[in-house]
Amino acid sequence: MLNISSARPAKPPRLKPWSDTIKAGDIISYRFPLREGVTEERPKPRPCLVLAVSHHNGQRWLCVAYGTSSRKKALNPLGIELSLTAAMACGLDRATGFLGSRTRVIRTNDPALSVCPDLRTPVLGALSGRAFERMLLVQKRLLAQHAAAEKSLA
C-alpha cells in the first residue's frame, strides 16, 4: 500500500519575472511622457510596443514605441496600426496605433512602468500575425535610419 502522508506535494514551477521574459512584440503599460524634461503633470498609462530588448552591464533595456488611440497618427512608414479586432487579440480594449517615430529607451525597472498589482506585470499582451510582421518591417526601417545617420557622421 502507498503511504501518501510521507509524500511531499510537488512545488509548482516558478515563473520567471516579466522583466526576464519580455521580448519585442510585447505590449506594456507605460506612462510615456508627453514632453521631454520635467513637467508638473503625470502622464497617463498607455499601451506601448516593445520594439527591441537589449542587455548592457547586467541591465535589460527596452526600446518602446508610443501607443495612441488616434490610429491616423500611425499611418506612416514607421507606424503600426491595429484595428479593434486586432487590438483585442493583443489584449487591448480599443483600436490602437503605435508610432515607431516616437520611441524611448527605458530600463525594466523604470518607475513610469504601470504594473498591474494583481498580475505584477506591466505586460498587457503581444502582437501576432500581420501586426507582428509589420513590427519587423518597422524595426528594419529604424535600423536603416540609424545606420544612415551613423554613416553621415563618419
Side-chain angles (χ1 to χ4, degrees), residues 46-76:
R46 60 178 61 251
C48 292
L49 176 63
V50 178
L51 291 173
V53 178
S54 66
H55 300 80
H56 186 67
N57 290 336
Q59 178 66 51
R60 294 190 72 158
W61 294 81
L62 312 176
C63 176
V64 298
Y66 181 82
T68 177
S69 59
S70 176
R71 288 180 18 212
K72 286 193 292 185
K73 292 180 180 178
L75 295 175
N76 64 65

Short mmCIF file of all heavy atoms in Angstrom, two decimals, residues 46-76:
data_model
loop_
_atom_site.label_atom_id
_atom_site.label_comp_id
_atom_site.label_asym_id
_atom_site.label_seq_id
_atom_site.Cartn_x
_atom_site.Cartn_y
_atom_site.Cartn_z
N ARG A 46 -0.34 54.26 -20.88
CA ARG A 46 -0.84 53.96 -22.22
C ARG A 46 -0.11 52.74 -22.74
O ARG A 46 0.99 52.43 -22.29
CB ARG A 46 -0.68 55.14 -23.15
CG ARG A 46 0.71 55.64 -23.37
CD ARG A 46 0.76 56.80 -24.36
NE ARG A 46 0.02 57.96 -23.94
CZ ARG A 46 -1.13 58.38 -24.50
NH1 ARG A 46 -1.67 57.75 -25.49
NH2 ARG A 46 -1.72 59.45 -24.07
N PRO A 47 -0.71 52.06 -23.69
CA PRO A 47 -0.02 50.90 -24.25
C PRO A 47 1.18 51.36 -25.07
O PRO A 47 1.10 52.33 -25.82
CB PRO A 47 -1.08 50.25 -25.13
CG PRO A 47 -2.04 51.33 -25.46
CD PRO A 47 -2.02 52.28 -24.29
N CYS A 48 2.28 50.68 -24.89
CA CYS A 48 3.49 50.94 -25.67
C CYS A 48 4.01 49.61 -26.18
O CYS A 48 3.93 48.60 -25.49
CB CYS A 48 4.55 51.62 -24.80
SG CYS A 48 4.09 53.30 -24.32
N LEU A 49 4.53 49.64 -27.40
CA LEU A 49 5.03 48.44 -28.03
C LEU A 49 6.53 48.30 -27.81
O LEU A 49 7.28 49.24 -28.06
CB LEU A 49 4.73 48.49 -29.53
CG LEU A 49 5.27 47.34 -30.38
CD1 LEU A 49 4.65 46.02 -29.96
CD2 LEU A 49 5.00 47.63 -31.84
N VAL A 50 6.95 47.15 -27.35
CA VAL A 50 8.37 46.87 -27.20
C VAL A 50 8.92 46.53 -28.59
O VAL A 50 8.54 45.53 -29.19
CB VAL A 50 8.63 45.71 -26.21
CG1 VAL A 50 10.13 45.40 -26.12
CG2 VAL A 50 8.06 46.03 -24.84
N LEU A 51 9.79 47.41 -29.10
CA LEU A 51 10.39 47.20 -30.42
C LEU A 51 11.69 46.40 -30.33
O LEU A 51 12.05 45.69 -31.27
CB LEU A 51 10.68 48.54 -31.10
CG LEU A 51 9.46 49.33 -31.55
CD1 LEU A 51 9.88 50.70 -32.07
CD2 LEU A 51 8.70 48.57 -32.63
N ALA A 52 12.40 46.53 -29.22
CA ALA A 52 13.67 45.82 -29.06
C ALA A 52 14.01 45.68 -27.59
O ALA A 52 13.59 46.50 -26.77
CB ALA A 52 14.79 46.58 -29.78
N VAL A 53 14.76 44.63 -27.29
CA VAL A 53 15.25 44.38 -25.93
C VAL A 53 16.76 44.16 -26.05
O VAL A 53 17.22 43.46 -26.93
CB VAL A 53 14.60 43.13 -25.31
CG1 VAL A 53 15.15 42.85 -23.92
CG2 VAL A 53 13.08 43.28 -25.27
N SER A 54 17.51 44.81 -25.15
CA SER A 54 18.96 44.60 -25.16
C SER A 54 19.46 44.49 -23.72
O SER A 54 18.76 44.85 -22.78
CB SER A 54 19.67 45.73 -25.90
OG SER A 54 19.50 46.95 -25.21
N HIS A 55 20.68 43.99 -23.59
CA HIS A 55 21.32 43.84 -22.28
C HIS A 55 22.59 44.67 -22.28
O HIS A 55 23.34 44.65 -23.25
CB HIS A 55 21.70 42.38 -22.03
CG HIS A 55 20.54 41.45 -22.04
ND1 HIS A 55 19.96 40.99 -23.19
CD2 HIS A 55 19.84 40.91 -21.03
CE1 HIS A 55 18.95 40.20 -22.90
NE2 HIS A 55 18.85 40.12 -21.59
N HIS A 56 22.79 45.40 -21.19
CA HIS A 56 24.01 46.19 -21.05
C HIS A 56 24.35 46.29 -19.57
O HIS A 56 23.51 46.73 -18.77
CB HIS A 56 23.82 47.58 -21.66
CG HIS A 56 25.06 48.41 -21.68
ND1 HIS A 56 26.16 48.10 -22.45
CD2 HIS A 56 25.39 49.52 -20.98
CE1 HIS A 56 27.10 49.00 -22.25
NE2 HIS A 56 26.65 49.87 -21.36
N ASN A 57 25.55 45.86 -19.20
CA ASN A 57 26.01 45.90 -17.80
C ASN A 57 25.01 45.24 -16.85
O ASN A 57 24.70 45.77 -15.78
CB ASN A 57 26.28 47.33 -17.36
CG ASN A 57 27.50 47.92 -18.03
OD1 ASN A 57 28.38 47.19 -18.47
ND2 ASN A 57 27.55 49.24 -18.12
N GLY A 58 24.48 44.10 -17.26
CA GLY A 58 23.56 43.34 -16.40
C GLY A 58 22.16 43.90 -16.30
O GLY A 58 21.36 43.41 -15.51
N GLN A 59 21.84 44.91 -17.07
CA GLN A 59 20.51 45.54 -17.02
C GLN A 59 19.82 45.32 -18.36
O GLN A 59 20.44 45.39 -19.41
CB GLN A 59 20.66 47.04 -16.75
CG GLN A 59 19.36 47.81 -16.73
CD GLN A 59 18.46 47.43 -15.58
OE1 GLN A 59 18.87 47.40 -14.43
NE2 GLN A 59 17.21 47.14 -15.89
N ARG A 60 18.54 45.06 -18.31
CA ARG A 60 17.75 44.92 -19.54
C ARG A 60 17.17 46.27 -19.92
O ARG A 60 16.63 46.99 -19.08
CB ARG A 60 16.62 43.91 -19.35
CG ARG A 60 17.19 42.50 -19.14
CD ARG A 60 16.14 41.49 -19.19
NE ARG A 60 15.73 41.40 -20.59
CZ ARG A 60 15.12 40.37 -21.11
NH1 ARG A 60 14.83 39.35 -20.38
NH2 ARG A 60 14.78 40.35 -22.38
N TRP A 61 17.30 46.60 -21.19
CA TRP A 61 16.81 47.86 -21.73
C TRP A 61 15.76 47.57 -22.80
O TRP A 61 15.88 46.61 -23.56
CB TRP A 61 17.95 48.66 -22.35
CG TRP A 61 18.96 49.11 -21.34
CD1 TRP A 61 19.97 48.38 -20.81
CD2 TRP A 61 19.01 50.39 -20.71
NE1 TRP A 61 20.67 49.13 -19.89
CE2 TRP A 61 20.11 50.37 -19.82
CE3 TRP A 61 18.26 51.55 -20.83
CZ2 TRP A 61 20.46 51.46 -19.03
CZ3 TRP A 61 18.62 52.64 -20.05
CH2 TRP A 61 19.69 52.59 -19.17
N LEU A 62 14.74 48.40 -22.85
CA LEU A 62 13.65 48.24 -23.82
C LEU A 62 13.55 49.49 -24.68
O LEU A 62 13.60 50.60 -24.16
CB LEU A 62 12.31 48.06 -23.11
CG LEU A 62 12.24 47.05 -21.97
CD1 LEU A 62 10.86 47.09 -21.33
CD2 LEU A 62 12.55 45.65 -22.48
N CYS A 63 13.39 49.31 -25.97
CA CYS A 63 13.03 50.41 -26.85
C CYS A 63 11.53 50.28 -27.07
O CYS A 63 11.06 49.27 -27.60
CB CYS A 63 13.78 50.32 -28.17
SG CYS A 63 13.28 51.62 -29.34
N VAL A 64 10.77 51.28 -26.61
CA VAL A 64 9.31 51.21 -26.70
C VAL A 64 8.77 52.31 -27.60
O VAL A 64 9.31 53.41 -27.66
CB VAL A 64 8.65 51.29 -25.30
CG1 VAL A 64 9.08 50.12 -24.42
CG2 VAL A 64 8.95 52.60 -24.59
N ALA A 65 7.70 51.97 -28.31
CA ALA A 65 7.03 52.91 -29.21
C ALA A 65 5.73 53.37 -28.55
O ALA A 65 5.00 52.58 -27.96
CB ALA A 65 6.74 52.26 -30.55
N TYR A 66 5.47 54.64 -28.68
CA TYR A 66 4.28 55.30 -28.16
C TYR A 66 3.02 54.69 -28.77
O TYR A 66 2.96 54.44 -29.97
CB TYR A 66 4.38 56.78 -28.54
CG TYR A 66 3.28 57.68 -28.08
CD1 TYR A 66 3.27 58.20 -26.80
CD2 TYR A 66 2.26 58.06 -28.95
CE1 TYR A 66 2.27 59.07 -26.39
CE2 TYR A 66 1.26 58.93 -28.56
CZ TYR A 66 1.27 59.43 -27.27
OH TYR A 66 0.29 60.30 -26.87
N GLY A 67 2.03 54.47 -27.95
CA GLY A 67 0.74 53.96 -28.41
C GLY A 67 -0.34 55.01 -28.25
O GLY A 67 -0.36 55.76 -27.28
N THR A 68 -1.26 55.06 -29.22
CA THR A 68 -2.33 56.05 -29.19
C THR A 68 -3.61 55.47 -29.79
O THR A 68 -3.54 54.60 -30.66
CB THR A 68 -1.93 57.34 -29.95
OG1 THR A 68 -3.03 58.24 -29.95
CG2 THR A 68 -1.50 57.05 -31.37
N SER A 69 -4.73 55.95 -29.33
CA SER A 69 -6.00 55.52 -29.92
C SER A 69 -6.30 56.31 -31.19
O SER A 69 -7.25 55.99 -31.90
CB SER A 69 -7.14 55.65 -28.91
OG SER A 69 -7.25 56.99 -28.47
N SER A 70 -5.49 57.30 -31.49
CA SER A 70 -5.62 58.06 -32.73
C SER A 70 -4.84 57.32 -33.81
O SER A 70 -3.66 57.59 -34.05
CB SER A 70 -5.08 59.49 -32.55
OG SER A 70 -5.13 60.18 -33.77
N ARG A 71 -5.49 56.37 -34.45
CA ARG A 71 -4.80 55.49 -35.40
C ARG A 71 -4.28 56.25 -36.62
O ARG A 71 -3.34 55.80 -37.27
CB ARG A 71 -5.74 54.38 -35.84
CG ARG A 71 -5.96 53.37 -34.75
CD ARG A 71 -6.88 52.24 -35.11
NE ARG A 71 -7.10 52.03 -36.52
CZ ARG A 71 -8.25 51.57 -37.02
NH1 ARG A 71 -9.25 51.30 -36.23
NH2 ARG A 71 -8.38 51.38 -38.31
N LYS A 72 -4.85 57.40 -36.92
CA LYS A 72 -4.38 58.17 -38.08
C LYS A 72 -2.91 58.52 -37.94
O LYS A 72 -2.19 58.60 -38.92
CB LYS A 72 -5.21 59.45 -38.26
CG LYS A 72 -6.59 59.21 -38.82
CD LYS A 72 -7.25 60.50 -39.26
CE LYS A 72 -7.55 61.39 -38.08
NZ LYS A 72 -8.29 62.60 -38.45
N LYS A 73 -2.45 58.74 -36.72
CA LYS A 73 -1.05 59.09 -36.48
C LYS A 73 -0.12 57.95 -36.86
O LYS A 73 1.06 58.17 -37.10
CB LYS A 73 -0.84 59.47 -35.01
CG LYS A 73 -1.52 60.76 -34.62
CD LYS A 73 -1.27 61.08 -33.17
CE LYS A 73 -1.96 62.38 -32.77
NZ LYS A 73 -1.77 62.69 -31.36
N ALA A 74 -0.65 56.72 -36.91
CA ALA A 74 0.18 55.56 -37.23
C ALA A 74 0.21 55.26 -38.73
O ALA A 74 0.85 54.31 -39.15
CB ALA A 74 -0.32 54.34 -36.46
N LEU A 75 -0.45 56.08 -39.52
CA LEU A 75 -0.48 55.86 -40.97
C LEU A 75 0.75 56.49 -41.61
O LEU A 75 0.67 57.52 -42.27
CB LEU A 75 -1.76 56.44 -41.57
CG LEU A 75 -3.06 55.76 -41.13
CD1 LEU A 75 -4.26 56.48 -41.70
CD2 LEU A 75 -3.06 54.30 -41.53
N ASN A 76 1.90 55.89 -41.37
CA ASN A 76 3.17 56.36 -41.93
C ASN A 76 4.12 55.16 -41.99
O ASN A 76 3.80 54.10 -41.46
CB ASN A 76 3.73 57.53 -41.11
CG ASN A 76 4.07 57.11 -39.70
OD1 ASN A 76 4.97 56.31 -39.49
ND2 ASN A 76 3.37 57.66 -38.71
#
